[in-house]
Amino acid sequence: MRLTRCKVGLAAAAITFNLLFLFYGPWPQHRPRNSPTRGSRRVSAAGPRVTILVREFEAFDNAVPELVDSFLQQDPAQPIVVAADALPYPPLALPRIPNVRLALLQPALDRPAAASRPETYVATEFVALVPDGARADSPGQLERMVEALRTGSTRLVAAPVSTANPAKCLALNVSLREWTARYDRAPAVPRCDALEGDAVVLLRARDLFNLSAPLARPLGTSLFLQTALRGWTVRLLDLPFAAARQPPLATAHARWKAEREGRTRRAALLRTLGIRLVSWEGAQLEWFGCSKESARCFGTVEGDTPAYLYEERWTPPCCLRALRETARHVVGVLEAAGVRYWLEGGSLLGAARHGDIIPWDYDVDLGIYLEDVGNCEQLREAEGGSMVDERGFVWEKAVEGDFFRVQYSESNHLHVDVWPFYPRNGVMTKDTWLGHRQDVEFPEHFLQPLVTLPFAGFMAKAPNNYRRFLELKFGPGVIENPEYPNPTLLSLTRG
């Protein structure tokens, strides 16, 4: 279509008018609450790059409203998400503006699934995890943290909060295979694996929400266990945030209640994440696995291969502790009664290879002379029915055959199996064979005399020339070539 000179002129005028309106048109007349006045810091044209996410607070006593207001005073358009499992009570006094959202993480019948997912509420590239008791008092803190993250080599940056418990760096090693987390003093401050204390932590939203449990509480414990496992480090910046003017948990009762609930949350978190033992800075140990009052950490073993091996884990440390305690107790009883005993099967192999229980074993095996059973009161009583001794260990005749089993407790069935052998023509044999690889007869001369080996924290009796004894039972090179109990089902060497 041919354009006339008149039409071209009209089009040019229209374009000019639109450009002038774009640059010089009137500002909106209605400002949002806490909007910046003349001379205050103006929000960048691109909008905020960070969402404030408040997760770690107690509903019964907190300073969350002051925290939220402090960030809105720095930037009225600042996106803020307060995340709670259920509707906080007493209710939080939050501003009723679109950029401040309350996210309830427990699913509810009347809400869509997305409403309980925190990533639904975050549209920015970065997330700042801000603890209760913090407040913003200096313009540009979040932007400086963003630049530190962009230009640095860590996946997280953090700034301490000037409370009575400011953040400090820790080293953290997480071993899922061993179910353990080990904390220590960080060797290279300010770059560390974890933080202890109050800090604002900034990371990319995609990194946070790709964690398996991004907002599990206690948030600091959960976050750094997951990031340290992935090899991510955090850089602690010298960029402190202020503490709340009216700090939360100011009364002794509130602190007691928060500490009690925090311990409960931490224990539940660690069990959920599969951590059974925490070694804190200073080598203080804290256990989160089974005890005498609870069931053991794994179920019935099928094919000599416990369930945890399929999870690419080894025996939970609480179970190893219980096995060591049970073995030490049983050996003490047998020695006091004059019963001749020795380490058998995989337990002897563990003593020869590790000086301890094999890291993936699930019981302890001892051999005894059948003729000595009558010397031991506990074994005599077990022949007629189970008995619980004065320390809570359960002695009983095994249902699988003619041998004895000593369980850690009536609730926890971690156990030591005691196998009665007797000599026949110079060969030690027994009446029950369960088809295990090591379940074979052997010459009595291996027991004459017995020797001692370190095992499970004490010195235990073992066959002499135990290397030849083990190779008779398991095959050549068994000490130097570790393998799972049933490699036809699951092999250590094949990963």
Side-chain angles (χ1 to χ4, degrees), residues 434-475:
L434 299 183
H436 297 157
R437 181 183 178 190
Q438 70 271 23
D439 220 2
V440 296
E441 296 176 334
F442 59 90
E444 188 179 11
H445 67 71
F446 282 109
L447 308 179
Q448 297 175 344
L450 292 166
V451 299
T452 56
L453 286 177
F455 177 73
F458 62 97
M459 298 302 294
K461 296 292 179 63
N464 63 71
N465 203 347
Y466 55 83
R467 175 178 290 274
R468 285 189 58 194
F469 183 89
L470 286 168
E471 292 187 343
L472 170 68
K473 295 219 168 198
F474 293 99

Side-chain angles (χ1 to χ4, degrees), residues 421-443:
F421 286 81
Y422 56 90
R424 185 172 61 195
N425 300 323
V427 174
M428 298 300 291
T429 188
K430 56 189 175 77
D431 292 333
T432 295
W433 304 93
L434 299 183
H436 297 157
R437 181 183 178 190
Q438 70 271 23
D439 220 2
V440 296
E441 296 176 334
F442 59 90

